Amino acid sequence: MTDRAALEEQHSLNEALYDTIAALSTETCPTTMLRLMLDGAQRALNIHHGLAFLHGGHLHAAASHGHFHHLPLTALRDLHHEAQALTPVVSAGHLWPTTPVSGGARLMVPLSADGALLGALVLERDDPAFFTPPRQRFLHELARQGGQAIGRAQRLIALQDSERRARRLVQDSPVAIAPIHRDGVLTEVNEAYLNLLSITRGEVARGDVNWITQTPPEYHAPDEAAWHQAVEQGSSGPYEKVMLSGTGECIPLEVTLTRAADGPQQHVVGYLRDLRPQRAQEAGWRRHTVELQRDLDRQAQALTAQAAELEASTAELMARANVLKGMLTLSRDLTGDTRPYQLIERAQQFTLDLLRTDAFVVYFEPDGSVWRPRAQLGDLGTPELTRAVQAGLPLKDTVNLWIPWQSGHPYYQDAYDHAADTPTKQTGHIRTTATLPLNVRGERRGIFAIGLKMPRAWKRLDRVILEAVMHHLGLALERAEQTQTLRYRTHALERSNRELEQFAFIASHDLQEPLRTVASFSDLLVRRAGLASADPKAAQYAQVITEGTARMRTLIQDLLTFSRIGVQSSPQDATDLLEIARDVQRHFQQTTRGASAIAVEGEAMVRGDRAQLKQLFEHLLDNALKFRAPDREPHVTVTAHRDGAWVQCRVTDNGLGIEAQYLERIFMPFQRLQGREGYAGNGIGLSIVRKVAEWHGGDVQVESSVGVGTTFTVTLPAAPR
């Protein structure tokens, strides 16, 4: 481009800039101003595509030219971020970088005012070299002055909005507000002021409303003082006065004057609050106070009476506390004795202490057709009644006893019905009675009869305590009977243990001696008589005798072992369970009974007797090796792990397995699932295993699958860590 062409272009750009800025100066709408800027740039530079957008509460395209009209919101956000990034470049006075686009170039022109981003112009041309430095300077100046013009327009709009909101706030305020000139003239008031003083806006507009004439003379001096205070200090603070309404009514008000913003000498602003609701409320409070005082006087009299009742109630509560203490003592006493009638006498004594009056307590039990006294405390009152009670009262005719016996519920009589019972002549001195059934293990044992020689109304607390005494007494009698039964069974068990020990001694000595004799002489007979060569049949019979005596000896030894488990006290020593299993494994290794097929893993400490736990593993491992599958080599694993306060030990084999219906039978003594021909033993080994586990406070469970194998799980108490 020649210098002349460049000067002409610069002159054209300056004119376009001047025209656009002049057009902007006459507008106040930011959107219209953006359109003017975009139109000016398009006319000056013949832009193919252009977009102008504002940055506010939300992004929106304010004006567009060309294909930018359908730009999506996501693309608009991207342009906004680019404009934010370019703002420091613009502020530094540098030219904006262009962005290559398909077949041309794009120039982003941020709009800012006072350092704040307002929006941007986005311009595109098909020529990549179109945005020369002069054209960029033109756009730079257009964006700078346009941004300032838009900023001024936005501030003006905000100021106008603020003024409208303030004016609306005053007009809509529930507080009466009025600007007051020095001469008292009111030129503008809000609706609340008009409503409060019953005047119209027309009267205010004509100048008919005056602050001074609305105020009675006695309040002129306080008004004058408040005026000067508001002018000098900014506010008068609230004070009370009276003003005349348009109808001539005197309205009490609370007034606050504040200095107006347009100068201290022109006018002040008055804020008025109607005091009529407060005055009415105060009058109501005064009436309420008088009524409240009357109520307080009446309540004081009632409280005096209640204080006397409370004192009596306190004494009663103290008495109840003593009763509860007595109940605790009674429960402790009933727990420590096992003699039935002594327990009943303790309950009778507590009942007499509770009643604290002239009374007696008799416990009756039915005996055929009469009631027999089994325990008595207190004087019955007359010799005749004493003899009648000792002789036995008629079962059904003594209604006072028969009713609770039949119903199972206590029977209280505040006024005893003498005529209902047979011994009417002997009970005239009895005034009040209570008869309660005594139940032990859900069965009625007798009747607890209470007789008072003075009138008494049975209160709810009395009934609750008496029935609690019967409940505790029933539990104590049940516990006493259980204790007696336990003692009897303990003696029987001790006697049985002594007999068992005696049997074990006899079995170990006296029963085995004949077996040894039979076996010895059978062997001598075979050797001396030469039966093996002379009479093979006789030799076979002798061999059967020998084997039978050997099995009998083994059976006796197994019985002794089974009976001795649990004779000693419970085990308390800490024992390594798997170390015992390893000892048994070494024993099988010495006897060449498949020790290589046994694997022992882990360690676990239990409370146990080492010798008996060794028997447990001997029988479990012996069974695992004995009942092996014929088609595979035996494999046995012993593992253990601690689970809280318990240790679980699992012995797993790959043997024959056990059918489900026999899983419980195998623990019964002498129960065999296989014949003696193929497998030795008496069928007592697993019985010993279960008895050892249970004696240690644990148990043993079994899981098995036929043809797969069997797992025995022994659970024992763990030793303390």
Side-chain angles (χ1 to χ4, degrees):
M1 178 181 291
T2 63
D3 293 341
R4 180 179 178 81
L7 289 173
E8 290 177 352
E9 181 184 33
Q10 185 65 50
H11 178 71
S12 175
L13 291 176
N14 290 339
E15 288 184 348
L17 177 64
Y18 175 80
D19 293 341
T20 303
I21 297 304
L24 290 176
S25 64
T26 62
E27 287 293 334
T28 59
C29 175
T31 302
T32 303
M33 299 170 78
L34 281 175
R35 291 196 185 97
L36 291 174
M37 293 174 63
L38 190 60
D39 291 343
Q42 196 276 333
R43 286 193 302 271
L45 301 178
N46 192 21
I47 299 299
H48 292 170
H49 308 292
L51 170 72
F53 65 86
L54 283 176
H55 163 72
H58 60 278
L59 293 175
H60 62 279
S64 62
H65 176 74
H67 294 301
F68 277 122
H69 182 68
H70 300 291
L71 192 69
L73 183 60
T74 54
L76 195 62
R77 290 198 185 98
D78 294 339
L79 294 175
H80 175 256
H81 294 323
E82 288 185 45
Q84 286 181 311
L86 288 175
T87 302
V89 177
V90 176
S91 301
H94 301 296
L95 297 179
W96 303 289
T98 59
T99 304
V101 296
S102 177
R106 174 187 295 168
L107 182 64
M108 170 75 69
V109 187
L111 302 175
S112 62
D114 300 327
L117 179 66
L118 302 180
L121 297 177
V122 186
L123 308 171
E124 287 186 4
R125 271 293 301 252
D126 296 338
D127 182 4
F130 176 77
F131 292 106
T132 61
R135 292 169 179 169
Q136 291 189 41
R137 281 192 292 273
F138 163 75
L139 294 173
H140 180 284
E141 187 63 22
L142 177 64
R144 185 183 68 81
Q145 297 198 33
Q148 293 177 356
I150 291 175
R152 287 193 298 270
Q154 288 180 338
R155 288 194 296 272
L156 178 61
I157 291 172
L159 181 62
Q160 292 173 345
D161 290 343
S162 176
E163 183 178 353
R164 282 194 297 271
R165 286 194 299 270
R167 186 174 298 276
R168 174 53 58 188
L169 184 64
V170 170
Q171 287 297 328
D172 294 343
S173 173
V175 178
I177 303 174
I180 309 168
H181 289 265
R182 190 71 183 86
D183 56 2
V185 174
L186 303 180
T187 58
E188 185 179 2
V189 297
N190 66 351
E191 290 295 325
Y193 189 95
L194 298 176
N195 296 332
L196 175 63
L197 295 176
S198 301
I199 57 179
T200 64
R201 191 164 295 281
E203 292 174 323
V204 175
R206 291 194 301 270
D208 296 340
V209 180
N210 188 286
W211 179 272
I212 298 175
T213 59
Q214 281 186 296
T215 302
E218 61 268 26
Y219 293 103
H220 287 171
D223 272 352
E224 186 70 18
W227 176 282
H228 289 292
Q229 186 178 359
V231 169
E232 295 170 1
Q233 302 178 14
S235 175
S236 67
Y239 67 99
E240 294 185 7
K241 63 174 290 187
V242 171
M243 293 188 72
L244 301 175
S245 71
T247 60
E249 179 185 359
C250 291
I251 300 177
L253 300 172
E254 180 185 80
V255 179
T256 300
L257 302 183
T258 61
R259 184 172 54 212
D262 56 353
Q265 302 301 326
Q266 295 298 321
H267 65 272
V268 297
V269 178
Y271 298 87
L272 288 70
R273 184 171 70 88
D274 190 354
L275 293 181
R276 285 176 295 182
Q278 179 177 330
R279 296 287 190 265
Q281 189 176 36
E282 289 173 353
W285 284 346
R286 285 192 293 271
R287 291 192 301 272
H288 181 67
T289 301
V290 173
E291 295 174 359
L292 182 61
Q293 185 61 47
R294 295 196 190 101
D295 291 341
L296 288 175
D297 293 339
R298 289 192 296 268
Q299 291 178 8
Q301 297 174 358
L303 287 174
T304 302
Q306 290 178 2
E309 294 179 3
L310 181 60
E311 186 176 355
S313 299
T314 302
E316 182 179 354
L317 287 175
M318 293 297 295
R320 293 185 179 185
N322 293 331
V323 167
L324 292 177
K325 287 183 181 179
M327 284 292 295
L328 292 175
T329 304
L330 174 63
S331 299
R332 183 176 62 250
D333 293 343
L334 294 179
T335 303
D337 205 334
T338 60
R339 297 168 296 175
Y341 294 116
Q342 279 73 10
L343 292 173
I344 293 173
E345 288 179 357
R346 290 178 184 272
Q348 289 176 328
Q349 185 60 57
F350 172 78
T351 303
L352 290 180
D353 294 341
L354 168 68
L355 298 175
R356 295 180 180 275
T357 185
D358 191 3
F360 61 85
V361 185
V362 184
Y363 171 67
F364 293 94
E365 287 183 354
D367 181 14
S369 61
V370 297
W371 293 101
R372 298 290 184 190
R374 301 302 185 189
Q376 174 185 333
L377 280 183
D379 184 14
L380 296 181
T382 65
E384 293 80 10
L385 180 58
T386 302
R387 287 193 294 269
V389 169
Q390 293 299 326
L393 301 176
L395 187 68
K396 296 183 179 180
D397 292 340
T398 309
V399 177
N400 205 21
L401 303 179
W402 181 250
I403 289 177
W405 177 262
Q406 285 293 100
S407 66
H409 300 292
Y411 182 47
Y412 298 96
Q413 293 191 77
D414 293 346
Y416 174 50
D417 185 2
H418 303 273
D421 287 339
T422 296
T424 55
K425 295 181 180 180
Q426 296 90 355
T427 59
H429 59 289
I430 301 176
R431 308 297 299 276
T432 302
T433 63
T435 48
L436 301 96
L438 176 61
N439 298 310
V440 181
R441 289 198 298 272
E443 298 179 357
R444 278 187 286 284
R445 291 291 182 86
I447 298 296
F448 205 78
I450 305 169
L452 280 69
K453 302 167 189 176
M454 297 178 61
R456 182 188 182 101
W458 294 112
K459 299 179 181 178
R460 180 176 178 276
L461 178 63
D462 297 332
R463 301 186 183 204
V464 170
I465 293 175
L466 290 176
E467 291 165 21
V469 170
M470 290 298 98
H471 175 71
H472 285 288
L473 180 57
L475 293 178
L477 290 173
E478 179 180 349
R479 187 166 49 249
E481 292 178 359
Q482 291 173 346
T483 302
Q484 293 292 348
T485 302
L486 181 62
R487 288 176 181 174
Y488 173 78
R489 291 179 178 175
T490 302
H491 293 325
L493 183 60
E494 291 174 352
R495 183 173 62 254
S496 175
N497 285 340
R498 288 193 298 269
E499 293 173 354
L500 182 60
E501 291 175 2
Q502 186 177 7
F503 166 76
F505 177 78
I506 294 173
S508 61
H509 294 84
D510 298 351
L511 291 181
Q512 293 189 61
E513 182 59 30
L515 291 176
R516 285 192 293 269
T517 302
V518 172
S520 298
F521 280 96
S522 175
D523 186 54
L524 287 174
L525 181 62
V526 171
R527 284 186 287 146
R528 290 200 178 183
L531 294 179
S533 57
D535 190 351
K537 198 69 173 177
Q540 181 182 358
Y541 294 157
Q543 182 64 29
V544 171
I545 294 173
T546 301
E547 292 176 357
T549 55
R551 285 198 304 272
M552 179 63 78
R553 185 182 301 110
T554 303
L555 179 60
I556 292 174
Q557 292 296 334
D558 289 343
L559 279 173
L560 288 173
T561 300
F562 186 76
S563 64
R564 286 170 179 166
I565 297 174
V567 173
Q568 62 189 34
S569 60
S570 300
Q572 298 295 332
D573 296 334
T575 306
D576 189 339
L577 191 63
L578 293 183
E579 181 58 34
I580 298 174
R582 294 187 183 96
D583 288 346
V584 177
Q585 180 189 26
R586 287 190 288 271
H587 168 72
F588 284 134
Q589 186 176 10
Q590 294 171 0
T591 59
T592 66
R593 295 183 58 196
S596 60
I598 303 174
V600 182
E601 302 173 359
E603 60 179 16
M605 301 298 294
V606 299
R607 294 199 314 268
D609 181 87
R610 186 178 184 85
Q612 295 198 6
L613 291 175
K614 185 175 181 181
Q615 289 182 9
L616 180 145
F617 279 111
E618 286 175 349
H619 288 293
L620 288 177
L621 296 178
D622 181 63
N623 272 15
L625 295 175
K626 182 192 303 182
F627 300 106
R628 66 182 65 183
D631 58 343
R632 56 180 176 269
E633 289 296 321
H635 180 69
V636 184
T637 59
V638 182
T639 60
H641 72 279
R642 181 166 182 149
D643 185 8
W646 300 90
V647 169
Q648 285 192 343
C649 179
R650 297 168 63 87
V651 180
T652 304
D653 64 51
N654 63 340
L656 297 174
I658 306 169
E659 294 184 23
Q661 63 266 31
Y662 300 124
L663 291 180
E664 187 60 31
R665 177 180 167 185
I666 61 176
F667 293 106
M668 299 176 64
F670 310 116
Q671 296 295 316
R672 298 174 54 88
L673 303 183
Q674 307 291 340
R676 295 183 183 276
E677 295 77 9
Y679 301 94
N682 294 316
I684 202 171
L686 292 180
S687 301
I688 293 175
V689 169
R690 169 168 281 185
K691 192 169 183 181
V692 169
E694 291 177 348
W695 179 67
H696 281 77
D699 66 358
V700 58
Q701 302 292 330
V702 60
E703 301 175 9
S704 185
S705 296
V706 176
V708 178
T710 303
T711 297
F712 287 91
T713 302
V714 181
T715 304
L716 298 171
R721 294 186 184 277

